[in-house]
Amino acid sequence: MSQWKGLLNEFGDWLDLRGVDTPITLMEGNTPLVPAHYLSERLGAEVFLKIEGANPTGSFKDRGMTMAISKAKAAGAKTVICGSTGNTSAAAAAFAAKADMACVVLVPEGKIALGKLAQAIMYGAEVVQIRGNFDRALSLARELTQHIPITIVNSINPDRIEGQKTGAFELVDALGEAPDILAIPVGNAGNITAYWRGFTQYHTAGKATKLPKMWGFQAAGSAPIVLGHRVDDPETIATAIRIGNPASWAPALLAVDESHGAIRAVTDEEILSAWAWLAKTEGVFCEPASAATIAGLIKFGVPANSKVVCVLTGNGLKDPDTAVNSASAPIVLDASLESLLTHLSK
Ligand code: F0G
């Protein structure tokens, strides 16, 4: 068999796999890098889209979760827990199922996209909706680990960041070099941290001769890093990044400083407009949170002719409600050729 073997088998030499004999894998990673012709033209640059929604559970979280669950299993853990805005919980539930482990997920009631909730339920997790936001869910998950034998698989678990470095490895392997700019949405700030570690590791090893500028984007209503202070009641339509107190705040700032990058904010309006535009032009349907990158590039522009990669972190199918509610309902016609011809000839 010559199929892709999953991230821990493919990138084992670059990851800390101590203790792991048998990786728990759903054959995650190896996601498409799609040249974005329309966006490139619009920005006067060379832009690529990293389609992380093509991972087995539909988001980049599978990269960190194959690592975190493999390590937890190897260490003898029986149950894992996470607080989540939806994607971490979907990935944790799926990999825990594959590992024959139990999984508890804490999610903010009414604030996670429908597809993500469906996933955690179907993968058999114990799903608990809390009357509180993500930040509260994460702090409760942390507290629980002090009281019961349970392993936390949020990105405060270093194995998560370790696995997510592979996104950077794949980019350099595909492009033959690091891009000039990496555009990435920022929520809990784990992924921007992981990509930077991946790029610097490859650079140190001579696999890339340069390092990208890290450009992070937060939703304006949930932009603690941009504002420089915690946001107690974060709000945004992009529920994946509705986070007011990111756990990886300090390492994310370090990534930005070291790379001469920036973290900036885009409004919900800008996100929704970039999201719809991307689907209609490039044929790529991502999550609203992922489209924060597109909105950011359109809003702030990029240096002429630079090579840019946008990390589109999650699949658009995760959040059908926001998609359907943001457009007018499709027309309903009688089931006759005549009515169709009349309608289409208008
Ligand atoms: N994009 C999507 C689709 C996400 O689900 C997340 C985070 C991010 C971007 C931001 O990544 O947190 O590493 O800065 N989702 C987490 C979750 C918080 O619970 O699924 P980050």
Side-chain angles (χ1 to χ4, degrees), residues 60-61 84-88 185-191 240-241 243 287 289 313:
F60 73 98
K61 303 287 181 176
S84 181
T85 57
N87 280 325
T88 299
V186 175
N188 212 26
N191 211 26
I241 52 172
I243 293 173
E287 280 193 47
T313 44

Side-chain angles (χ1 to χ4, degrees), residues 232-258:
D232 288 332
D233 290 307
E235 260 321 331
T236 169
I237 187 115
T239 51
I241 52 172
R242 184 174 168 271
I243 293 173
N245 188 20
S248 295
W249 191 323
L253 277 184
L254 195 67
V256 166
D257 284 351
E258 288 180 352

Side-chain angles (χ1 to χ4, degrees), residues 150-162:
I150 200 164
T151 302
I152 193 160
V153 292
N154 280 102
S155 56
I156 54 168
N157 176 334
D159 300 327
R160 280 276 316 280
I161 304 276
E162 184 72 7

Side-chain angles (χ1 to χ4, degrees), residues 52 58-61 82-91 106-108 112 116 134 138 154-155 160-161 164 184-194 217-218 225 238-243 246-248 252 286-291 311-315 318:
E52 289 294 275
S59 88
F60 73 98
K61 303 287 181 176
C82 64
S84 181
T85 57
N87 280 325
T88 299
S89 50
L106 308 182
V107 297
I112 89 165
K116 303 175 186 179
F134 166 85
L138 177 56
N154 280 102
S155 56
R160 280 276 316 280
I161 304 276
Q164 285 172 210
I184 188 166
V186 175
N188 212 26
N191 211 26
I192 190 170
T193 303
F217 295 102
Q218 298 197 295
I225 301 182
T239 51
I241 52 172
R242 184 174 168 271
I243 293 173
S248 295
C286 62
E287 280 193 47
S290 312
V311 185
L312 298 184
T313 44
N315 195 306
K318 295 255 188 187

Side-chain angles (χ1 to χ4, degrees), residues 1 3-11 17 20-30 55-57 62-71 73 91 94-100:
M1 231 168 53
Q3 78 152 353
W4 175 259
K5 295 183 184 63
L7 293 170
L8 271 48
N9 289 318
E10 298 286 345
F11 289 108
L17 290 179
V20 176
D21 293 328
T22 320
I24 308 295
T25 181
L26 293 168
M27 305 300 160
E28 62 295 317
N30 197 24
N55 274 298
T57 78
D62 293 348
R63 294 182 183 278
M65 212 52 80
T66 180
M67 187 77 182
I69 298 288
S70 295
K71 285 263 182 171
K73 181 77 179 172
F95 283 85
K98 186 75 176 170
D100 192 21

Side-chain angles (χ1 to χ4, degrees), residues 326-341:
S326 71
S328 48
I331 191 168
V332 180
L333 293 176
D334 288 337
S336 72
L337 185 61
E338 195 191 354
S339 60
L340 280 171
L341 285 172

